[in-house]
Structure formats: C-alpha cells, structure tokens
Amino acid sequence: MKEAARQARAENRIVGLVPTMGALHAGHLSLIERARRECSPVIASIFVNPKQFGPNEDFSKYPRTFESDSGKLERAGVDSLFVPEPAEIYPNAFSTYVNVDGLSDRLEGRTRPGHFDGLSDRLEGRTRPGHFRGVTTVVMKLLQIVQPNFAYFGRKDAQQSRLITLMARDLNLDTEIVVCPPVREPDGLALSSRNIYLNSEERQAATVLHHALEAARRELVAGVRDALQLQAVLQRTLSGERLARVDYAEIVDADSFEPVVRVSKRCYVLLAVFIGKTRLIDNLYVEPKSSESEELFFHF
Ligand code: AMP
C-alpha cells in the first residue's frame, strides 16, 4: 500500500483516502463519491480495528461482509482497496498510541495532569473508555501508510471527526481532513453498520433519535436558546419511546465539545441512545447565519 501510494504521489496525483470498518452502506459510498470528485486515485480501507472496541463491545460480532463490500467499492469507482490484517497493523510489542486530549485553555496548567476531562474522555469516550485512543491511533497509522492529500470522514461521528481534524492539525500532517454530512434513511434514521442489529420493532423505535433532533430544531426555530430547556425537550421525546434508553443527550460547543449554557455559537445537539441492546448515535449541527443575526442554519 505504501509503495502504490508513493507512486501516485510521485506522479503528482491527488490521493484520497476513505477509511472504513466495512459493512458498507450508502453513507460510506457518499464519502467515496465526494473523494472521487476531488481525488484520483481514491483508496478505501476496510479494517475492523480491535483497539477501538471495549472488552464488552461487539468486536467479534461486528458485521464482516467483505465480498459484498468489495463489489460496492468497485462499482463506486474506488481505485484501490486496502484490507490489512490486524497482525500487520499491530505487530508484536506494538507500543505507540496517539491520544488527542483536547485539553482546553481553561484546564491548561492544572496541577494534577491526567485528572481533566479531555475531549477523548467525554461523551462517546465516557461510555467507551479507550475508544478514541484506538480510533486516533489507527487513523494516524492509515494516514502514515497512505499519506493522502485528502481523507474523508462522516459528521455522523461528530466527536470522532473533530478529534481527527485536531490530530491532523496538531501533528502537522500533510493530509486535509474532509468532514461530510450524514446520509439518512427516508424516515431520518442515520445509516450505520450497526442498524442491522435492530429487529423490526427496534428499527421502528430507532427513528426516535431523529424525532428528538427535529423537536430540538423546532424549539430553536421558535427562539429557545437555553441548553437545559433544549435538553428537556430531547429527554421528553426520547422517553416517549419504550425501547429507548438514553446514554447522553447534550448540547455542546462545536470545537471543544464542552457543554454550552446557551446556543449562541456553532454547536452540536448530540445523542447516544440504546435501542434494545444496540447503541446508536446521531447529531444536529447548528450554526448562526451570521455573527449579528439570531437566525440559525441547521444541518442534519
Ligand atoms: P465506520 O465504517 O463506521 O468506521 O465508518 C467509516 C466512515 O463512514 C466514518 O468516517 C463514518 O463517520 C462514516 N459514516 C458512517 N455512517 C455514515 C453516514 N450515515 N453518512 C455518512 N458517513 C457515514
């Protein structure tokens, strides 16, 4: 893979990378499509990264559908597919990890380093300890192997995209990180490889995430800016669904992912909700139309 990518760069071609864990759906393919508009060659990777799964998570049962994935990628016009083995990515005595702390200025200089709630430790990182360390480590490795000009990620995983963007900037990578909008089912459910775990009753119930985000949007359009009030609306909508158990429902600053008191700058409404045993995430990205105006743009 290194040799092929090096060759493309030597020919002054624009190399694009789309990292995935396979079980591909239209969300992944939208990243490929975007990459194809901006790059040639487009390289996709499939690697179910053991280091980003917790001990009680679904690593062993994560869907692996290589035959169908490679067909989809070929039809989508991907030039190369990189499918490394875990032992190639993590040889014996693998010892080096990338961790994005996201230590905010407010916390800089605290006397007990390690006792802050860094960007990787909150929200997704709180429920899934070590998850983001696994993600940023494997993404760093993929970016080192391919050294693409552009790498494409989905905003469905908003905190992940933010961490990867920060990592690329902080470590002076020559790759530009491109974050793309989520692709949804017609009823609003964000596409996810984990949606296949849902039975038909749960699949129906899973629309509650999108309904909750819609309810928050309606409040914001009506002029509500208070985060607690918005959270209450999220909780009320989610608690109306018997199969849903909320992990978190928060309104956070789009850069720091710290909770906001009022919606006044760019922010995310973030949801993580168990539907039965399946944990789903979704978000609504909100940005002011201009610095003077109270009006907002909404991005589902
Ligand atoms: P995964 O295979 O789940 O690791 O996802 C690979 C990439 O696809 C990540 O950058 C995800 O954020 C992105 N992705 C996942 N779901 C969607 C979606 N519904 N729409 C757009 N991108 C997505």
Side-chain angles (χ1 to χ4, degrees), residues 17 19 49 52 90 133-145 151 153 160 164 167 173 177:
L17 174 66
N49 175 30
Q52 72 187 68
Y90 301 115
R133 182 175 95 137
V135 170
T136 43
T137 299
V138 82
V139 170
M140 184 67 185
K141 286 174 63 76
L142 293 169
L143 295 177
Q144 288 298 329
I145 293 165
F153 296 88
Q160 166 175 292
I164 291 167
M167 174 182 81
L173 303 188
I177 304 301

Side-chain angles (χ1 to χ4, degrees), residues 19-22 25 27-28 30-31 62 152-154 156-157 160 181-183 190-191:
T20 81
M21 298 204 301
H25 50 64
H28 297 113
S30 75
L31 304 183
Y62 195 83
Y152 296 82
F153 296 88
K156 203 212 63 147
D157 301 286
Q160 166 175 292
V183 174
L191 298 189

Side-chain angles (χ1 to χ4, degrees), residues 21 48-64 120 122-135 157 160 194 197 247-248 272 274 277-281:
M21 298 204 301
V48 184
N49 175 30
K51 292 204 189 282
Q52 72 187 68
F53 289 80
N56 300 316
E57 293 185 355
D58 55 346
F59 175 68
S60 57
K61 72 165 188 156
Y62 195 83
R64 288 164 173 86
S120 293
R122 274 181 283 124
L123 301 158
E124 285 300 285
R126 188 183 165 97
T127 305
R128 309 183 67 190
H131 168 67
F132 283 129
R133 182 175 95 137
V135 170
D157 301 286
Q160 166 175 292
R194 291 193 168 94
Y197 298 150
D247 183 355
Y248 60 77
F274 284 93
K277 287 198 166 77
T278 306
R279 187 170 175 282
L280 301 178
I281 59 173

Side-chain angles (χ1 to χ4, degrees), residues 8 63 100 111-112 121 142 169 192 212 240:
V100 180
T111 47
R112 291 184 356 174
D121 304 316
L142 293 169
R169 186 206 64 177
S192 162

